[in-house]
Amino acid sequence: MSETKIRIKDNGPFLVEGPITLEDAEGNSYTIEKPMIALCRCGASENKPFCDGKHKHCGFASEDRASS
């Protein structure tokens, strides 16, 4: 079984790789048949929850680091 990996891009999206099931706020589940998706963090995407690159033009800045 493959493992799912999430990478945080500085000033950009969350990149999710591996087996992906996306669940919306109503509990509807969607299996994503792509090897990787980019999830919006800036809130400006016109294709939410997916990133469409708007973070490059809206002034979004974030360099979060994971902590244990």
Side-chain angles (χ1 to χ4, degrees):
M1 172 184 242
S2 297
E3 119 181 7
T4 301
K5 178 179 180 179
I6 301 172
R7 290 186 292 144
I8 304 169
K9 299 296 288 181
D10 285 348
N11 308 314
F14 291 121
L15 297 179
V16 185
E17 301 173 76
I20 303 165
T21 300
L22 185 64
E23 185 175 302
D24 69 15
E26 295 178 353
N28 300 307
S29 291
Y30 304 90
T31 300
I32 307 295
E33 300 292 339
K34 295 181 179 182
M36 180 175 62
I37 61 171
L39 296 175
C40 176
R41 289 199 299 154
C42 74
S45 175
E46 292 182 23
N47 191 30
K48 291 183 196 99
F50 305 103
C51 176
D52 67 0
K54 293 280 189 319
H55 60 274
K56 297 174 188 172
H57 308 287
C58 74
F60 178 70
S62 178
E63 294 182 358
D64 294 329
R65 298 295 184 257
S67 61
S68 53

